[in-house]
Amino acid sequence: MRTGHLRVSAGRRACALAGSASIFVGFLLLPLAAGSAPSANASTPDPAAGSPEPGQSGSPAGSHGGAPAAPSGGIVVRGPRMYNPVTNKLFARRSYITVSQVSELANQSVLVSWQGFTPSVNIPYDSESTLYPVEILECRGTVVASENACLGANSAGSPGVGPEGPENTVVATSSPRGAGEADIELLTSDQNSWLGCAEGHPCSLVIVPAQGGTSTSNGHGSCSNHSEDYATATGLVAFGFQYEYYPARCAWDDRVVVPLTFDPVITGCPIRTPDFTVIGSPMASIAMNSWQTALCTAADPLSIQYDSAQNEPLARQDFQAGMDDVALTTFPASGTSKYPYTYAPIAITAESVAFWIDNPQTGLPANHIRLDARLMLKLITESYDFSDTACSDGVLSASDCDNAVDYDPASILVDPEFTHLNPGVRPAESDWVVPTVLSGLSDMTWELTSWIAANPAAKAFADGSFADGEHINSNYVDMQLPTQTLTAMDSNLLYSHLYSPVFPLSSVVSYQLANNFPGTETAVDQYGNYDSLAPEVPGTRDLFAILDQGDASAFLFPTASLQNAAGNFVAPTDAGMLAAVEHDMVTDRQNHITESVNLKNAGKAAWDAYPLTMIVYAMVPTGGISKTKAAKIAEWLDFIADQGQQPGLLPGNLPPGYLPLTQQMRNETLKAATEVLDQTGNPKKSRSTAATPSATPTPSPTSSAPAVHLGYVANPTSSGTARYAVPALLIVGGLLAVGGSMSFVIGQGGIAAIGRLRRIRLQRIRLRSMQLLPRRKMQ
């Protein structure tokens, strides 16, 4: 194209018209693309501490090459040149830090990774002996000039409870290539009012690399003199003293600040007289909190009192007794009920096995493992020889040893069955590996043990058969499978103190988040108490927890791939859950609504179905309640079936870890809403053919999102094409329009508009975690 050419040719007009048509079609298809992921809206960091820059092709993380590619929703930050112990000079190239998500944040975890850092010495991390570790802090504001703005800045990598509340500081190490990674939990104003991170109140991540240096008695020193690094480059010195003193100042001067912006804090309903009460299914709590927040802040608010702590069996009993208006459950109820009721699907999610298994050479966690049903059975029945406790070892006296686990391996991580399935996984420690599990009667426990009982090899092992010389902990031979509850059955002192199911489900999440499990020491302290065990330091973790996929997604817990009835190992992804819903479900013969995975259908099981996929249903009354309450419950169901199935991060959206209901399930929910509204279960009340649920309240728009209703994806399985086709149409249209004529520059506006509307499908939730106090390690 020649500059200054004023006449528009026929070809240009065609391009312009084609561009306009592409944009028009793109906008018509825009609702189908809802839920796709945009690039991050990066903020400008502290000018003194490294600058964010767009991701670009370069060397992989861990090398000293160019910048790594920025993840979707995240950012790459260019850091300073770090110290190179080999040359006793700074590296020739600058470092880079990648953060997986920097905007639209909530109480969740984000992944921080880096390259070009000083390689750590003596890993895994120890505050006194490891040289050149890396500290990650959450701090107030976006210009962090002092460590006083950071939570737990002087903890030396051992976060506890400080004057500002429970600390979330993370300390990790760098590999010999200078690369590393770690997750950090972000605390919002709901978890830590001192930080105050919320919508309109941004915070920052600050990455502090220990760099050594020298110090003098008067507090001065040199950051370029590394002759004393053997003592000064440790976490105890670099992260344990005020940063105005050397060599802590040397580390602080090389800090990198990454600004963070937050979504509205999802707090659930404020305390007020509720329109109705809901109880049960802690697996649904993340989605429920999102929906509650949207409904409570609507122009015509709907107030719901939700008890997420109670497990499903108790919730079903309370509902049937008339103590609560709605119960959330996975499996159907039995027995009589005070009021007639029906079931309405509200969420598809999964039970997951989260793990931390750190490599002792690199200090980095394993990302993938495979577990079969027999391994899971061994794990939940303590069928391992912890710390040479078995009598067959001859280490302990006959009164102290445990013959229930004679000749069993030391832990699951050195079990030949595990190492065969996971040949590349190397445990950091393996003297005792005990899972954190939920106590009390639970649908999750029934689903897990049903999967175990459906596997012939696992069931035979549970009945006492040997497998490669191993046997079940003999205290569990009479264990009922399936079962609704997990309990510790081995009375040996060590075993009874290590294995302790906890309640509620949020406690399971909190322990895993704190790198800990609920074990205690075997000896009492001076006050007659059994002290809790210390958290395991990142780099030395061997932890398992059985929890829900919503929490696993929010806190970036790696989750195991489990063997399904077809013999394949499948992770709890959206695809795995969808395959289970579409191909492996059986419908209850009595209510003809509730569905569960057919764990025994090995001949016809879907190859890619995740076996612990679970559907959450609302038990809702179709008679016996007031018209006002019936209308409110119907309104709530109508919201869930429509806007509540839109994946996203804002209040009212369906958070990650949940799969949108199928169209058939949405129809079932809407049908249930009509039955509740009409109270069709009342024997003397005839059903109104024209009645429909009242209009769903529209949540008030917030400043962080445009007030645009995108609708919900009518067919979640086919929406993927649209989410890629729409941006392509808009981009091509914009380019053609601009190339054709400036009069069609609106094509660029279309691109900008779609960029603002696309939402990030990344980890987030609200979790009011119980915070664990510092604990001492078992001796």
Side-chain angles (χ1 to χ4, degrees):
M1 180 184 295
R2 281 190 231 143
T3 305
H5 188 54
L6 300 179
R7 187 171 180 177
V8 180
S9 67
R12 291 187 189 177
R13 283 195 297 269
C15 288
L17 291 173
S20 299
S22 296
I23 296 168
F24 178 73
V25 173
F27 275 109
L28 285 179
L29 294 177
L30 178 58
L32 296 179
S36 54
S39 301
N41 180 17
S43 303
T44 303
D46 181 353
S51 56
E53 60 184 31
Q56 50 187 275
S57 300
S59 301
S63 73
H64 291 195
S72 176
I75 199 170
V76 172
V77 178
R78 186 172 62 180
R81 293 190 296 150
M82 302 295 183
Y83 173 61
N84 184 352
V86 176
T87 63
N88 199 30
K89 298 179 181 179
L90 299 181
F91 283 115
R93 300 188 181 186
R94 299 181 71 170
S95 58
Y96 288 95
I97 297 90
T98 302
V99 180
S100 62
Q101 185 180 343
V102 294
S103 62
E104 299 180 329
L105 295 162
N107 175 220
Q108 63 182 86
S109 292
V110 295
L111 176 64
V112 181
S113 55
W114 55 89
Q115 66 182 56
F117 275 45
T118 306
S120 300
V121 180
N122 300 328
I123 58 175
Y125 176 74
D126 180 272
S127 62
E128 298 182 16
S129 62
T130 299
L131 305 183
Y132 311 114
V134 180
E135 182 179 48
I136 307 172
L137 305 164
E138 186 177 7
C139 308
R140 295 184 293 181
T142 57
V143 179
V144 186
S146 168
E147 84 282 358
N148 293 328
C150 302
L151 185 64
N154 304 118
S155 65
S158 300
V161 179
E164 293 83 20
E167 299 165 345
N168 60 344
T169 310
V170 174
V171 174
T173 56
S174 302
S175 71
R177 298 173 61 207
E181 65 177 42
D183 297 326
I184 180 172
E185 179 194 6
L186 300 182
L187 305 179
T188 69
S189 58
D190 198 36
Q191 292 81 42
N192 190 289
S193 58
W194 181 82
L195 281 171
C197 306
E199 184 185 29
H201 296 275
C203 287
S204 296
L205 282 182
V206 176
I207 296 89
V208 184
Q211 289 290 277
T214 58
S215 61
T216 61
S217 58
N218 61 4
H220 296 287
S222 170
C223 293
S224 60
N225 185 344
H226 294 275
S227 61
E228 299 177 3
D229 280 10
Y230 63 90
T232 61
T234 64
L236 183 64
V237 176
F239 310 141
F241 296 92
Q242 297 294 322
Y243 284 107
E244 62 262 26
Y245 298 106
Y246 290 86
R249 179 175 176 181
C250 301
W252 183 254
D253 285 349
D254 281 335
R255 71 192 181 280
V256 175
V257 180
V258 181
L260 307 172
T261 58
F262 290 78
D263 268 350
V265 175
I266 293 182
T267 59
C269 288
I271 299 175
R272 62 175 66 164
T273 302
D275 293 311
F276 61 92
T277 63
V278 181
I279 187 174
S281 191
M283 298 181 72
S285 64
I286 300 166
M288 279 291 293
N289 286 325
S290 175
W291 297 333
Q292 278 182 275
T293 303
L295 292 170
C296 287
T297 57
D300 181 19
L302 182 64
S303 179
I304 305 167
Q305 179 182 308
Y306 173 45
D307 182 0
S308 64
Q310 297 301 331
N311 297 337
E312 301 85 354
L314 178 60
R316 292 193 290 266
Q317 291 179 16
D318 282 0
F319 172 81
Q320 290 178 294
M323 298 172 62
D324 285 283
D325 300 317
V326 176
L328 303 186
T329 183
T330 293
F331 296 108
S334 60
T336 60
S337 176
K338 183 176 181 180
Y339 303 123
Y341 62 89
T342 189
Y343 297 91
I346 67 167
I348 301 171
T349 186
E351 183 174 4
S352 302
V353 181
F355 63 90
W356 292 123
I357 305 175
D358 294 333
N359 186 301
Q361 279 74 44
T362 65
L364 298 177
N367 294 321
H368 306 285
I369 64 169
R370 300 194 298 175
L371 295 176
D372 59 27
R374 187 165 59 191
L375 279 171
M376 182 55 60
L377 175 66
K378 295 176 187 178
L379 193 62
I380 64 175
T381 57
E382 310 173 278
S383 298
Y384 292 105
D385 176 14
F386 301 138
S387 300
D388 298 323
T389 309
C391 296
S392 56
D393 290 322
V395 176
L396 301 176
S397 65
S399 60
D400 295 326
C401 67
D402 189 352
N403 60 17
V405 292
D406 283 350
Y407 305 105
D408 283 340
S411 81
I412 187 175
L413 301 180
V414 293
D415 188 329
E417 187 172 1
F418 179 87
T419 57
H420 173 72
L421 291 176
N422 306 280
V425 177
R426 298 290 180 267
E429 298 177 356
S430 59
D431 51 352
W432 24 272
V433 180
V434 182
T436 304
V437 300
L438 177 64
S439 69
L441 303 176
S442 169
D443 284 2
M444 288 179 60
T445 302
W446 183 266
E447 181 77 1
L448 176 74
T449 54
S450 295
W451 170 63
I452 293 172
N455 182 278
K459 186 63 170 65
F461 193 83
D463 293 339
S465 297
F466 280 66
D468 299 324
E470 299 178 41
H471 60 88
I472 194 171
N473 184 318
S474 58
N475 293 288
Y476 289 84
V477 170
D478 295 327
M479 176 184 183
Q480 179 183 348
L481 287 176
T483 180
Q484 287 185 311
T485 184
L486 296 177
T487 57
M489 296 184 182
D490 194 325
S491 60
N492 177 273
L493 184 63
L494 177 64
Y495 286 70
S496 63
H497 280 259
L498 287 181
Y499 191 36
S500 179
V502 298
F503 179 87
L505 180 61
S506 59
S507 294
V508 178
V509 179
S510 295
Y511 275 104
Q512 191 72 2
L513 194 60
N515 300 321
N516 204 358
F517 70 97
T520 62
E521 295 193 22
T522 57
V524 297
D525 61 15
Q526 57 181 329
Y527 304 107
N529 300 317
Y530 293 101
D531 285 346
S532 299
L533 298 177
E536 297 183 6
V537 177
T540 67
R541 299 171 300 181
D542 294 322
L543 297 165
F544 287 85
I546 301 172
L547 40 76
D548 62 296
Q549 184 57 23
D551 282 309
S553 296
F555 293 105
L556 304 183
F557 296 146
T559 53
S561 294
L562 304 183
Q563 189 177 36
N564 62 19
N568 191 30
F569 290 88
V570 182
T573 61
D574 285 0
M577 290 189 285
L578 182 61
V581 169
E582 290 186 337
H583 304 294
D584 277 5
M585 290 287 173
V586 291
T587 304
D588 184 81
R589 294 182 179 179
Q590 294 184 345
N591 62 57
H592 306 292
I593 298 174
T594 60
E595 295 181 285
S596 58
V597 174
N598 184 358
L599 297 169
K600 296 182 179 180
N601 190 12
K604 298 181 180 179
W607 179 253
D608 53 351
Y610 181 70
L612 299 187
T613 300
M614 300 175 71
I615 303 172
V616 179
Y617 295 89
M619 296 175 65
V620 289
T622 58
I625 61 174
S626 67
K627 292 182 179 180
T628 301
K629 183 174 290 187
K632 292 295 184 180
I633 295 175
E635 188 177 306
W636 173 67
L637 292 174
D638 185 53
F639 174 87
I640 288 175
D642 187 357
Q643 292 165 269
Q645 297 305 309
Q646 174 65 54
L649 304 174
L650 291 175
N653 290 158
L654 186 70
Y658 298 88
L659 184 71
L661 297 176
T662 65
Q663 189 60 52
Q664 178 182 347
M665 291 178 181
R666 296 182 192 191
N667 293 338
E668 290 174 347
T669 303
L670 293 173
K671 180 176 181 291
T674 301
E675 292 175 359
V676 172
L677 181 66
D678 292 346
Q679 292 290 275
T680 59
N682 287 335
K684 296 182 180 181
K685 181 178 178 64
S686 61
R687 180 175 178 178
S688 170
T689 57
T692 57
S694 57
T696 302
T698 302
S700 302
T702 66
S703 59
S704 63
V708 176
H709 178 68
L710 296 179
Y712 66 87
V713 181
N715 186 353
T717 63
S718 63
S719 62
T721 303
R723 72 176 60 179
Y724 295 109
V726 171
L729 284 167
L730 291 168
I731 292 171
V732 171
L735 292 175
L736 288 172
V738 171
S741 172
M742 288 300 293
S743 65
F744 292 98
V745 74
I746 189 173
Q748 291 182 328
I751 297 172
I754 190 66
R756 289 192 299 270
L757 292 174
R758 297 172 69 214
R759 307 298 302 150
I760 302 172
R761 292 198 61 192
L762 294 174
Q763 281 69 21
R764 60 81 50 81
I765 61 163
R766 180 198 66 86
L767 174 66
R768 289 180 179 145
S769 302
M770 55 170 275
Q771 300 290 344
L772 305 176
L773 297 175
R775 297 171 172 86
R776 298 202 302 270
K777 186 81 171 178
M778 175 180 287
Q779 300 298 320

